[in-house]
Amino acid sequence: MWRPRNPRSRPKKPASPAPAPRAESRASHTVNGLAARINDALPQTQCTRCGYPDCAGYAQAVADGEAGINQCPPGGAEGIARLALLTGRPALPLDPQFGTEGPRAMAVIDEAWCIGCTLCLDACPTDAIVGINKRMHTVIEAHCTGCELCIPVCPVDCISLEVETPGRSGWQAWSQAQAEAALQRYKLHGLHREAAKREAEPAPAAAEPQAADTRKRSIVEAALARARAAAEQRGKTAPKP
């Protein structure tokens, strides 16, 4: 039976004034405290079916009281029980507006129809699809979480889903080790996307070269100024008759 991780006990520190509140963007997906423990209890498929951009966003919303504990279809009934244990809320049936619990699916690409558009590469949160532009793509089965995010972006409908765990659903079809591996791959996916975005950004335009006549005028004016300054200096130091 799953048990939440217990933080290592530490000696209490004397109370100190609370720091000033700091605004943080949820897009950074930095979670701590209760949100971090909730995130650890989620399957990390990053499927967005809960209505949030990723598992960390959902965990933060649950911790803040903005989302119910029954919005994660991949976690199923056991996932709801985990969140109920962590939050102290009553366990509820999975909310059907977010989907239903079922066997874990695996994405499969019909390689004969794949046009190599690379749209599914960007959509996959764990980089489980490999390929290059205008070349056939394929799915790395061990890395696929069954999130289904690659399905709607395919312009030729060459991606389908196959049942990977018949007769098993929720956490019976997914292990904690798989969840942790998926989370690490999701973090790497984010780093890859940020790097690609930086590379795609145009370099800052170089300053326009100064016009030739303006540049010459500046040089002449600077020379005249130096000459005037030198003449004034000589006048001050010349001996009086």
Side-chain angles (χ1 to χ4, degrees):
M1 181 179 178
W2 178 85
R3 289 285 187 273
R5 297 178 181 178
N6 293 321
R8 185 176 299 173
S9 60
R10 299 177 181 175
K12 292 184 178 180
K13 297 181 179 179
S16 57
R22 180 180 61 182
E24 293 183 355
S25 170
R26 180 169 294 174
S28 65
H29 302 155
T30 300
V31 293
N32 50 45
L34 177 58
R37 295 194 294 276
I38 292 172
N39 195 38
D40 286 342
L42 295 174
Q44 302 301 325
T45 58
Q46 317 301 338
C47 67
T48 74
R49 294 168 71 185
C50 60
Y52 291 87
D54 57 14
C55 295
Y58 176 52
Q60 188 66 60
V62 172
D64 293 342
E66 299 174 359
I69 63 172
N70 59 339
Q71 297 179 200
C72 176
E78 182 178 339
I80 295 171
R82 291 185 176 194
L83 301 192
L85 182 63
L86 288 168
T87 62
R89 302 187 203 175
L92 301 171
L94 181 64
D95 190 333
Q97 69 173 309
F98 299 103
T100 58
E101 180 176 350
R104 185 167 67 89
M106 176 75 66
V108 178
I109 296 177
D110 186 337
E111 298 173 350
W113 285 95
C114 177
I115 61 175
C117 68
T118 74
L119 294 176
C120 58
L121 272 66
D122 293 331
C124 179
T126 57
D127 291 336
I129 302 176
V130 293
I132 59 175
N133 189 40
K134 297 183 180 180
R135 293 292 185 272
M136 179 183 66
H137 300 351
T138 191
V139 177
I140 303 174
E141 294 184 2
H143 298 159
C144 178
T145 66
C147 69
E148 305 181 18
L149 294 178
C150 56
I151 302 294
V153 301
C154 180
V156 294
D157 294 329
C158 72
I159 306 177
S160 59
L161 296 173
E162 293 184 357
V163 174
E164 183 71 9
T165 59
R168 292 181 290 127
S169 63
W171 278 100
Q172 301 302 314
W174 192 243
S175 69
Q176 191 63 39
Q178 287 174 305
E180 292 172 0
L183 176 57
Q184 293 306 312
R185 294 196 61 82
Y186 177 59
K187 291 178 178 179
L188 288 174
H189 175 75
L191 295 176
H192 295 160
R193 292 187 67 180
E194 290 176 4
K197 184 178 179 180
R198 287 194 299 269
E199 292 177 359
E201 290 177 353
E208 289 291 333
Q210 193 175 22
D213 56 343
T214 303
R215 184 167 59 252
K216 290 179 181 179
R217 189 181 305 115
S218 299
I219 294 172
V220 171
E221 289 175 353
L224 291 174
R226 290 195 298 271
R228 286 193 295 268
E232 291 175 0
Q233 185 66 24
R234 285 195 300 272
K236 293 179 181 178
T237 58
K240 295 181 180 180

